[in-house]
Structures are given as structure tokens and as C-alpha cells.
Amino acid sequence: MIRTLRKIWAFSGSKKGVLAKALIASILNAVFESLQFGAIMIALQTILGNQIVSHPVFAISGIMLISILGKAATGFFSNQGMTEAGYYMCAEKRTHIADLMKYVPMGYFNKTSMGNITAVLTSVMGDIENTAPRSLILMFGGFIQAVIVSIALLFFDVRIGLVMLIGIVCFLFATSLYNRRVGKNAPQKQKAQTELVKNTMEFLGGISVIKSFGLKGRNSNIMRSVENSTKENLNLEYAIIPFTMFQEMILYVFDIAIIALAISFYFSGTMALADCLLMIVAAFMVYASLLSAGNMVAALGLMDVAMEQVEALDNTPRMDFNGKEISVKNTDITLSDVSFSYDKSETLQHISFRIPSKSFTAIVGPSGSGKSTLCHLISRFWDVNHGSIKLGGIDIRDYTLDSLLANISMVFQNVYLFQDSVINNIRFGKPDATMEEVEAAAKAACCHDFIMSLPNGYETIIGEGGSTLSGGERQRISIARAILKNAPVIILDEATSSIDPENERQLQMAIEALTKEKTVIMIAHRLKTIRGADQIIVLDKGK
């Protein structure tokens, strides 16, 4: 459990101060709650004729007023702090991981399911932000209150106080066993939940295929994931039920023992009636607090596993550890004996060539020959296995990814546009661009006219992935985005291969505007699109 508390503390990031204040407020809340014990003591002594203060009604009222107001104030700050800490620490972690994803090799996304990343950033992080600080603070407050009342009882009757402290120690032992069991079964539950999110995304992404082939839902991965998630949730519950009962049995046994001892001490004449009743009330107060705190332990066990999932994502290898911010003097690109493989078989073998600055180089070859891979290596989506790639005479591995990619604009065959306004999609290449700059880029890319015909012009919201636009329109917006970025190196990955003849003329005009005075690398299947090339690189079977 200590390890989990440390993880939550480390996870809280810049919100450690907020979490610490919430914990302090929780401790004070427990102190104010414990004041009621004093009010009960005065009330019992007064009722039984042993008045210990001159004005018991005022004393009881004053103590209860302080207790209620103190609990209200500290409860407010505790709840506010744990809510703020939970949401903000997860917001920081999500932003950090989103930034991190820009610096990991693209191969990582082939090996690691996008569903897993989505699950961690949504459902797993959602569990943490809603549960981790709250469970920590409520558990802390419950244990503190139990300890305060137990210590107070030592001053009234050492015998009862010691029995109560022994009961707390036994409860903590049972809680430790409970926590271990949760830790053993929770990973399977979290894994099943992650699989469910992943397969739900896959199901929704492939819904057109499912509909067209009439596949039965029962045979799909999503149904198996639902059943597996249900099974693992039930397994966790079944596994912890005996430990929950063990916790409760310890509380009940010691509760009954204290009541029985208090009554026997009263009848033996070694304890006053008021003290006997006070011990009985205290036993219920202490063990109610412990039971409340114990209920939070299972949640903390689940949080431990959830935070490990986030940490695993956070520890993804980056490509940017030793990079430097470099400004290029020229955009010569040189490949020297470059070899690369996604797995065991080499996709590219001993490739060497030079692309002079401000020249037009075409790359052609059959499908699977390594054309796109070559362009991705120049952009450092992956690192080469052997050899080197240089931009401006400097190995691209010596750049930070940001300073390298500031020099490169890419236009892909399959354009992805975000579900946002047209203007924000174009501004993706230069977030601080003015409206005049955006319009100038759109006009150069031959897409201004069709944008103005949209319902809200540049403020029109595009469907996810650009689904509300035609292929040619998406391509021209992506070119406008690249024109606005104004990078000195342009990579066109089969940008015109799937465009109809009507759009092709406008797209060619847009590409001419984009590539003017730039270093251009174009992957193409149609020879007429590369007849103006300064050199043509032919790839076949990675050579």
C-alpha cells in the first residue's frame, strides 16, 4: 500500500501541493470529527449525574458547533483539493503522453495497438482522476480518526485502549492481505478493459465491412471482449470477497470484545457506568471509520495497476534524446549505404544517392519496393538500421525532431484532416497564421473557391478524417497546409495517384505553387507527373 501511495504522489506532478493541502484538510477533518467524542463524554457524564463541567449544555453545544463548522470547512477544502488534483494531474499526464507520441518511432504504432493507447488515455486515466486522490484522502482520514479516538481512550482506560489498538493492527494486517489479492487480480481486469476499448474501436472502424458481410456480432472480437471483461470483473470480486469478510470479521470480533470487556469491567466495579457507555460508543466510532477506510483499499489496488499502465506508456522509447536545435544552411539530402528493415527481411538494401538543394527528384518503382519507406526515413519516422541520412550535411539523428521536421512538409496519398474548421486544418502548418496568410495559401493551392462555397466558408467544420470532402478537395487543403508551413523540403507521397482527371489539373497547379524554389521529392506512378524531374530514382525490391 505504501508503494501505491508513493505512486499517486509521484503521479500528481505539479499538483503535489494541492494534494498535500487536501491531505492536511482531511487530517483536520478527522480531528474535528473526533471532537464529537468529547461531546458524547460530557453528555454521558451529565446524564448519569457526574457533571464534569459547570454548563454542560453550553459545552456540548460549543464542541458540536466547532466540530460541525470545522468539518464543513475542512471537508470543503479536502473535496476541492482532491477533485482539482485528480483532474489536473491526469490532464498534465495526458498532455505529456500526447507530446511524447510525436517523438517515438512510427514502428511503435505498428507494434502497439492504437486501442491500447486510447484505452490508457481515456478509461484508465478516467479511473485514476476520479478515484486515486479521493481514495487516498478518504482512507487517510478514516485511519487518522480511528487512531485519534484510540489514543484518547488510552487516557480513559488503558485496557480498552490497548485492545482497540490491537484491533486496528489486526485490521491493517487483513487490509494488507486484501490489497495483495487485489494487486494479483487487478492486472487481468485492467487488461480485459483495455482489450474491450481496443476491440470496440476496431468494431466501429470496420462497421461497413461487418454490415456488408452480415457478420454476426456473437462471433466478433467485441463480444468476446465483453464476455472476457465481465468474467475478469467477476473474478476480481470473487477473489476479494473472502478478504472483505475477513476484514469485517476482525472489526466485529474486536467490537464485541470491547463491549463485553467494558460491561464486565463495570460489573466488577473497575469502570464507571459513564466510562463503560463511552467505550461502547467509541468502539462503534472507531470501527466505522476503519470500515470506511478499508473500502478504499480495493480502489487503491486498482489504481496501482492503472498507474503502471500509464507509466508503461510514459516510458516508450523516444528518438529525440540527443538531438540539437539546428538551422540548416542548405537542403542537400544525402543517403549513404542506407539499409532498413521492419522485421528480419530488409525493406531497403544499401541505398546511396544525393538530392541537391532546390532540385526535383522523382522516386518510382513497383508497389512494395520501398518508396514510401525511403521518404519516411528521410523524415525520420524511423531510424535507419545501417548507414546515414544527412540534411544540409548533418546527420538527421543529430537534429531534434522538431528542428528536423521544421524543414520538411509532406503531402500523403491518403490525406487526414481533423474534425475541425477548414481554417484550423490549414493553420495546422502554422498555428499563428493570419487570415490573409491562410487565404493566400488556399488560393495558391486552388482551394479558395470551393472553400467559399461551403456553408460557413473557412469556418465550416470538416467531418472526421475529411469525410465530408472529396479526395481532390482534401488533397488541395493538405497542400494549402504545406504551402502555409513554407518548409524548404517537400515530400509528395503519390499525392495525385487517386485523383480524377477533373481535379488533377487543379492539383497539379497547386503542387507547382507548393514546390516552387523547394527541394522536392515525389513518389509517383504516372510518368507524366515527373517528366520535369531533375533525376529519377528507381527502386525495385529494396535496391
Side-chain angles (χ1 to χ4, degrees):
M1 190 162 61
I2 299 298
R3 187 186 69 167
T4 305
L5 301 183
R6 286 176 180 168
K7 279 186 180 180
I8 294 173
W9 182 254
F11 199 92
S12 59
S14 67
K15 292 301 172 180
K16 285 185 176 69
V18 175
L19 187 60
K21 289 175 184 176
L23 282 169
I24 293 169
S26 178
I27 292 170
L28 292 175
N29 187 271
V31 172
F32 283 114
E33 176 81 24
S34 301
L35 287 179
Q36 296 176 13
F37 180 71
I40 293 169
M41 179 191 71
I42 295 172
L44 288 173
Q45 294 284 0
T46 303
I47 291 169
L48 297 172
N50 184 22
Q51 190 169 316
I52 58 175
V53 293
S54 55
H55 299 287
V57 173
F58 291 115
I60 293 168
S61 300
I63 292 172
M64 290 302 296
L65 183 62
I66 293 171
S67 175
I68 291 168
L69 292 177
K71 279 185 64 183
T74 54
F76 171 79
F77 287 112
S78 177
N79 280 305
Q80 184 185 52
M82 64 188 180
T83 301
E84 181 181 343
Y87 286 110
Y88 277 97
M89 73 185 192
C90 285
E92 286 180 356
K93 187 63 73 172
R94 285 186 177 108
T95 303
H96 168 72
I97 291 174
D99 286 336
L100 172 67
M101 290 296 106
K102 296 186 293 186
Y103 303 105
V104 301
M106 287 299 291
Y108 171 82
F109 298 102
N110 290 337
K111 296 173 184 175
T112 303
S113 167
M114 295 296 290
N116 179 56
I117 298 172
T118 304
V120 170
L121 292 179
T122 53
S123 63
V124 173
M125 294 281 271
D127 289 341
I128 293 172
E129 68 188 357
N130 288 317
T131 307
R134 182 174 300 276
S135 300
L136 173 63
I137 289 166
L138 292 178
M139 186 193 73
F140 217 82
F143 281 129
I144 291 294
Q145 184 183 345
V147 169
I148 290 172
V149 174
S150 298
I151 292 172
L153 287 183
L154 287 171
F155 291 97
F156 285 92
D157 192 289
V158 175
R159 299 167 297 180
I160 297 293
L162 286 173
V163 172
M164 191 162 284
L165 286 173
I166 291 170
I168 292 175
V169 171
C170 291
F171 179 79
L172 289 174
F173 172 71
T175 299
S176 175
L177 295 178
Y178 180 88
N179 198 38
R180 287 180 190 174
R181 174 55 65 179
V182 171
K184 185 176 180 180
N185 285 72
Q188 288 80 13
K189 175 188 179 297
Q190 290 295 111
K191 183 179 178 182
Q193 180 66 23
T194 300
E195 282 293 312
L196 178 58
V197 173
K198 182 184 76 172
N199 288 323
T200 300
M201 287 183 61
E202 183 182 45
F203 177 81
L204 295 174
I207 193 68
S208 59
V209 177
I210 292 169
K211 285 172 68 71
S212 63
F213 283 90
L215 297 177
K216 300 292 184 182
R218 280 281 166 193
N219 297 325
S220 66
N221 287 337
I222 189 170
M223 291 309 300
R224 286 193 291 272
S225 297
V226 169
E227 291 166 2
N228 189 47
S229 179
T230 303
K231 183 187 79 171
E232 293 300 342
N233 275 280
L234 288 173
N235 286 343
L236 176 62
E237 294 299 324
Y238 293 150
I240 64 175
I241 284 174
F243 294 90
T244 305
M245 294 176 64
F246 183 44
Q247 277 184 315
E248 293 180 359
M249 285 300 296
I250 287 175
L251 292 181
Y252 294 145
V253 167
F254 277 91
D255 209 2
I256 293 169
I258 288 171
I259 293 171
L261 285 171
I263 292 172
S264 66
F265 293 155
Y266 167 69
F267 281 113
S268 67
T270 59
M271 181 180 286
L273 178 59
D275 289 344
C276 174
L277 294 174
L278 186 64
M279 297 301 111
I280 293 171
V281 171
F284 283 109
M285 286 181 64
V286 168
Y287 291 133
S289 298
L290 286 176
L291 192 59
S292 174
N295 288 336
M296 296 297 106
V297 173
L300 284 175
L302 290 172
M303 290 307 97
D304 194 342
V305 176
M307 286 184 287
E308 283 182 359
Q309 285 184 281
V310 177
E311 286 171 8
L313 198 57
D314 198 10
N315 292 329
T316 304
R318 294 189 301 170
M319 302 173 69
D320 205 31
F321 282 115
N322 302 314
K324 302 178 184 67
E325 292 288 332
I326 299 173
S327 297
V328 296
K329 295 179 181 178
N330 65 72
T331 55
D332 284 357
I333 298 171
T334 306
L335 282 77
S336 303
D337 198 25
V338 168
S339 296
F340 175 76
S341 61
Y342 293 106
D343 43 44
K344 293 182 179 179
S345 59
E346 285 193 326
T347 305
L348 296 173
Q349 303 172 43
H350 307 292
I351 303 291
S352 297
F353 62 83
R354 176 176 171 268
I355 299 174
S357 182
K358 296 184 180 179
S359 67
F360 175 10
T361 295
I363 301 177
V364 299
S367 296
S369 60
K371 302 186 298 298
S372 294
T373 299
L374 194 59
C375 291
H376 291 162
L377 291 175
I378 293 171
S379 304
R380 208 186 171 199
F381 285 5
W382 289 272
D383 275 332
V384 298
N385 297 107
H386 181 267
S388 68
I389 300 175
K390 294 181 179 179
L391 173 66
I394 301 169
D395 195 308
I396 61 173
R397 289 169 290 197
D398 293 335
Y399 292 77
T400 62
L401 280 176
D402 287 338
S403 64
L404 172 66
L405 293 174
N407 297 291
I408 300 171
S409 286
M410 297 189 72
V411 179
F412 299 99
Q413 176 183 1
N414 297 316
V415 175
Y416 189 88
L417 299 180
F418 297 94
Q419 189 170 0
D420 201 345
S421 62
V422 173
I423 189 170
N424 284 342
N425 269 281
I426 296 175
R427 274 185 178 148
F428 203 76
K430 186 181 178 183
D432 58 349
T434 64
M435 186 65 199
E436 290 74 19
E437 290 176 311
V438 171
E439 286 188 358
K443 288 175 181 176
C446 301
C447 57
H448 174 76
D449 290 342
F450 92 74
I451 291 172
M452 294 306 296
S453 69
L454 296 173
N456 296 309
Y458 282 87
E459 297 299 330
T460 302
I461 302 298
I462 298 173
E464 184 179 358
S467 58
T468 53
L469 302 176
S470 71
E473 289 168 342
R474 290 198 298 271
Q475 283 285 15
R476 279 179 275 158
I477 286 179
S478 73
I479 290 172
R481 186 160 61 190
I483 289 173
L484 191 62
K485 183 178 179 181
N486 197 29
V489 178
I490 307 295
I491 297 177
L492 302 166
D493 189 352
E494 303 190 50
T496 63
S497 64
S498 59
I499 302 301
D500 56 81
E502 184 180 346
N503 277 309
E504 187 174 7
R505 185 178 62 83
Q506 289 184 311
L507 197 57
Q508 286 294 344
M509 292 170 60
I511 289 173
E512 288 173 13
L514 170 65
T515 57
K516 195 174 295 182
E517 293 298 308
K518 309 286 187 185
T519 301
V520 180
I521 304 170
M522 178 184 284
I523 297 174
H525 281 138
R526 301 177 186 177
L527 292 180
K528 68 177 182 178
T529 61
I530 59 168
R531 58 190 170 189
D534 298 303
Q535 66 174 335
I536 297 174
I537 306 296
V538 182
L539 284 178
D540 186 27
K541 298 179 181 178
K543 298 182 180 179

